[in-house]
């Protein structure tokens, strides 16, 4: 048996907890029963002792009369004189001539006080619970009467009770042990299955799934394992696709640059116009290669947390007007209309102006790239304590299945036509990272063949709102 297994640890813990509860409970029950039995016995002999002492003190009855009554009632007692010598008894084997109490043991009795003690009969060694009361005449103590009750029966009864408690405790313990083993096994089996599943996932078997049998925390953990496998598979597939795409994207411009450079080097062109054309192709492919490498480098820096931001209060209207001006030529080339509307008195946003421009440029160029006809609309407005920048197009749209993944690294929509539309699958990942680094949020809504809408949301700090209100006041 492996002692570090979950079933062993869980079973041991539950068993120890059971013992921690069972042992004190058994002890308390034993003490309660013992205390109750002793108290009940003491009350009975106290009552008899008080009655007999009063009868003797008042002269209502004599020693012989008390002895007769005690014999008839099967009550054990003895009477002592003022020197502690036993002068009468009932139901005991001792005689009045050879038995006496040490004065120090019964001294409180001669002070007029009641006395409770244990007594062991010399002949039989039987033990008794004793309660004594003083016998008084004319305000002086002339002796005492002690009523006895054997505690041998009580001890025997308590031993029987203790044996029953121990037997029931062992029975309950083994019953709990079996229940604990079954419960521990039931709880640990799903954990073991998940451990085995995660090991298979770690070895690359991303089709592995854990069967979910409950809606509790274990079921939630199983769901998380399954989601992890799905995410890893998506990541692996998109990464592989990215490497295939990126290798093509890198190979194409390098091939062009290498080929046309050889044409120029070997002077295989016909005239200066053709030479100029080849030089433009080399420059364009070099620029394309540079942008691709810059995107990769940019995303790598963001993921490592090495991007430095210059945060300041910026005017979004000014940033967006610059972005629209830069992208207008590309839109015109495709016959697209760029429409924009900015609300008046928009609050400033605390962010990095250059990074903001990069975000909106990526989103707008993305909209132009995937829109073949219609228009693209840029709207900026204030809603409650936020500023929302909305970029909406009438392009090819994104399917509902692909929407959750468009911000993932390496992911590209329209994979079969990715060469036609261009891009590396890094633009939206960069957008999301930059917006989140500046405390914002990106949301997307899309419908296939109808268009896509991106909302970039930045919160307005309460200090800024308070400052504006004070200025208005």
């Amino acid at each position: 048996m492996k002692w570090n297994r979950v079933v062993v640890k869980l079973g041991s813990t539950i068993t120890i907890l059971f013992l921690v509860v069972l042992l004190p409970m058994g002890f308390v029950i034993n003490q309660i029963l013992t205390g109750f039995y002793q108290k009940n016995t003491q009350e009975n002999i106290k009552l008899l002792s008080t009655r007999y002492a009063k009868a003797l003190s008042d002269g209502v009855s004599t020693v012989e009369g008390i002895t007769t009554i005690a014999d008839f009632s099967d009550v054990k007692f003895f009477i002592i004189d003022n020197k502690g010598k036993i002068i009468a008894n009932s139901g005991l084997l001792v005689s009045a001539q050879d038995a006496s109490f040490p004065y120090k043991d019964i001294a409180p009795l001669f002070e007029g006080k009641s006395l409770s003690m244990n007594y062991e009969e010399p002949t039989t060694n039987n033990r008794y619970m004793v309660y004594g009361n003083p016998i008084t005449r004319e305000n002086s103590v002339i002796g005492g009467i002690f009523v006895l009750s054997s505690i041998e029966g009580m001890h025997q009864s308590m031993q029987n009770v203790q044996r029953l408690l121990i037997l029931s405790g062992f029975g309950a313990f083994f019953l709990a042990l079996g229940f604990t083993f079954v419960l521990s096994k039931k709880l640990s089996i799903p954990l073991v299955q998940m451990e085995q599943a995660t090991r298979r996932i770690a070895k690359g078997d991303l089709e592995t799934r854990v069967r979910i049998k409950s809606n509790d925390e274990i079921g939630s953990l199983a769901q998380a394992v399954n989601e992890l496998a799905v995410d890893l598979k998506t990541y692996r597939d998109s990464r592989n696709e990215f490497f295939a795409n990126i290798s093509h994207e890198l190979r194409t411009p390098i091939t062009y640059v290498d080929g046309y450079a050889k044409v120029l080097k070997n002077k295989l062109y016909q005239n200066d116009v053709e030479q100029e054309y080849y030089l433009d192709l080399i420059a364009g492919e070099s620029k394309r290669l540079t942008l691709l490498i810059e995107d990769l480098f940019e995303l790598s820096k963001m993921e490592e947390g090495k991007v430095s931001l210059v945060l300041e209060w910026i005017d979004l209207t000014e940033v967006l007007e610059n972005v629209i001006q830069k992208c207008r030529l590309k839109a015109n080339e495709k016959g697209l209309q760029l429409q924009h509307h900015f609300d008046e008195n928009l609050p400033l946003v605390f962010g990095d102006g250059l990074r903001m421009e990069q975000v909106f440029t990526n989103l707008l160029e993305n909209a132009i790239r995937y829109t073949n006809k219609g228009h693209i609309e840029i709207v900026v407005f204030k809603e409650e304590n936020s500023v929302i920048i909305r970029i909406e197009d009438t392009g090819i749209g994104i399917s509902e299945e692909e929407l959750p993944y468009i911000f993932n690294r390496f992911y590209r929509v329209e994979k079969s036509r990715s060469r036609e539309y261009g891009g590396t699958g890094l633009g939206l990942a960069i957008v999301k990272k930059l917006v989140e680094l500046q405390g914002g949020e990106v949301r997307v809504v899309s419908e296939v063949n109808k268009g896509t809408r991106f909302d970039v949301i930045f919160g307005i700090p309460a200090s800024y709102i308070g400052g504006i209100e004070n200025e208005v006041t």
Side-chain angles (χ1 to χ4, degrees):
M1 176 182 289
K2 295 182 179 179
W3 294 103
N4 61 343
R5 291 180 60 185
V6 173
V7 64
V8 175
K9 292 180 179 179
L10 186 60
S12 301
T13 302
I14 296 176
T15 302
I16 291 171
L17 289 175
F18 179 79
L19 289 174
V20 168
V21 173
L22 183 64
L23 293 178
M25 185 173 66
F27 176 77
V28 169
I29 291 174
N30 180 65
Q31 292 299 108
I32 290 174
L33 292 175
T34 303
F36 173 78
Y37 193 95
Q38 288 179 340
K39 184 177 180 181
N40 188 56
T41 302
Q42 190 175 44
E43 289 293 329
N44 288 334
I45 62 176
K46 176 181 178 181
L47 180 63
L48 290 174
S49 176
T50 302
R51 286 179 180 176
Y52 291 162
K54 182 173 177 56
L56 291 171
S57 297
D58 295 342
V60 175
S61 180
T62 62
V63 172
E64 290 77 9
I66 294 294
T67 303
T68 302
I69 294 172
D71 288 339
F72 181 77
S73 304
D74 194 24
V75 175
K76 295 179 175 60
F77 77 93
F78 56 81
I79 300 173
I80 62 173
D81 59 17
N82 56 5
K83 294 181 180 179
K85 186 176 181 180
I86 297 175
I87 59 175
N89 71 79
S90 175
L92 298 174
L93 299 178
V94 297
S95 63
Q97 289 76 22
D98 60 2
S100 63
F101 276 98
Y103 183 82
K104 63 177 181 177
D105 293 337
I106 58 174
L109 194 71
F110 295 104
E111 297 176 2
K113 300 177 182 179
S114 299
L115 187 64
S116 178
M117 61 181 181
N118 291 330
Y119 171 73
E120 184 175 336
E121 191 177 27
T123 306
T124 62
N125 294 324
N126 288 334
R127 291 172 297 173
Y128 296 90
M129 183 182 293
V130 182
Y131 196 90
N133 273 297
I135 302 172
T136 58
R137 292 281 175 86
E138 298 178 357
N139 296 325
S140 62
V141 178
I142 61 172
I145 182 169
F146 294 86
V147 177
L148 298 84
S149 178
S150 175
I151 58 177
E152 295 295 333
M154 180 186 72
H155 280 295
Q156 187 65 37
S157 298
M158 291 312 303
Q159 286 177 356
N160 292 334
V161 170
Q162 288 170 356
R163 279 195 290 269
L164 287 175
L165 285 174
I166 292 172
L167 288 175
S168 61
F170 272 111
F173 172 75
F174 286 111
L175 181 64
L177 195 63
F179 174 77
T180 298
F181 177 79
V182 173
L183 179 63
S184 302
K185 198 76 173 176
K186 185 175 180 181
L187 290 176
S188 65
I189 285 175
L191 297 176
V192 172
Q193 291 175 344
M194 283 185 274
E195 184 262 346
Q196 294 171 348
T198 52
R199 289 187 182 278
R200 289 197 296 271
I201 291 171
K203 292 179 180 178
D205 183 7
L206 301 183
E207 299 296 335
T208 301
R209 297 292 183 272
V210 180
R211 188 166 58 179
I212 301 172
K213 299 181 180 179
S214 61
N215 294 323
D216 55 10
E217 290 83 353
I218 293 178
S220 177
L221 181 58
Q223 179 66 30
V225 171
N226 290 340
E227 290 175 356
L228 174 63
V230 172
D231 290 342
L232 287 174
K233 186 176 184 300
T234 302
Y235 174 79
R236 184 183 66 181
D237 293 344
S238 60
R239 183 192 60 184
N240 292 340
E241 182 183 350
F242 166 76
F243 283 136
N245 290 336
I246 208 67
S247 62
H248 175 84
E249 297 292 341
L250 289 171
R251 188 184 297 113
T252 300
I254 292 173
T255 301
Y256 278 130
V257 170
D258 181 61
Y260 291 124
K262 288 179 179 178
V263 169
L264 293 174
K265 181 179 179 181
N266 297 323
K267 298 182 180 181
L268 299 177
Y269 50 88
Q270 302 296 326
N271 49 50
D272 292 342
V273 175
E274 189 176 352
Q275 180 186 19
E276 193 68 27
Y277 172 73
Y278 291 149
L279 288 172
D280 288 341
L281 286 176
I282 291 174
E285 294 302 324
S286 298
K287 183 178 180 181
R288 179 183 173 189
L289 187 60
T290 301
L291 290 175
L292 180 60
I293 294 172
E294 285 178 351
D295 277 354
L296 288 170
F297 184 65
E298 189 78 11
L299 186 60
S300 176
K301 285 198 301 181
M302 289 181 201
E303 291 180 344
E304 293 176 6
K306 295 181 179 179
V307 175
S308 58
L309 299 177
V310 181
L311 300 176
E312 57 186 351
W313 292 104
I314 59 175
D315 184 354
L316 285 176
T317 301
E318 182 181 342
V319 172
L320 285 165
E321 285 177 346
N322 290 337
V323 172
I324 293 171
Q325 190 64 32
K326 289 180 181 179
C327 297
R328 191 176 295 279
L329 180 60
K330 290 183 180 180
N332 291 340
E333 288 175 352
K334 296 187 69 172
L336 303 174
Q337 294 181 354
L338 286 184
Q339 301 172 359
H340 65 275
H341 173 74
F342 305 147
D343 281 1
E344 295 182 358
N345 300 320
L346 286 170
L348 301 179
V349 173
F350 195 64
D352 187 316
L354 291 176
R355 295 296 184 178
M356 287 283 193
E357 188 171 325
Q358 183 180 356
V359 167
F360 300 130
T361 299
N362 277 354
L363 289 176
L364 193 52
E365 286 183 346
N366 215 51
I368 294 171
R369 181 180 298 119
Y370 290 102
T371 303
N372 295 322
K373 61 180 179 178
H375 66 275
I376 298 169
E377 187 175 11
I378 303 98
V379 180
V380 186
F381 58 96
K382 180 177 178 294
E383 186 176 274
E384 295 182 352
N385 295 330
S386 299
V387 176
I388 300 176
I389 303 93
R390 177 167 294 167
I391 299 177
E392 188 169 5
D393 62 54
T394 57
I396 62 175
I398 305 169
S399 67
E400 186 177 349
E401 294 77 16
E402 290 185 298
L403 272 179
Y405 307 109
I406 62 171
F407 293 108
N408 289 359
R409 298 177 305 168
F410 318 134
Y411 196 83
R412 297 176 66 172
V413 180
E414 285 292 318
K415 301 172 184 61
S416 61
R417 301 168 65 190
S418 60
R419 302 286 186 266
E420 175 187 343
Y421 289 108
T424 62
L426 300 175
L428 289 180
I430 292 173
V431 164
K432 189 172 187 295
K433 286 282 186 183
L434 285 177
V435 171
E436 289 177 349
L437 285 172
Q438 297 177 83
E441 178 186 1
V442 185
R443 297 176 185 170
V444 59
V445 177
S446 186
E447 190 173 347
V448 176
N449 297 325
K450 288 192 176 181
T452 305
R453 185 185 77 203
F454 284 92
D455 286 347
V456 181
I457 304 168
F458 290 102
I460 305 172
S463 58
Y464 179 83
I465 297 173
I468 295 296
E469 290 176 351
N470 292 334
E471 289 179 11
V472 172
T473 304

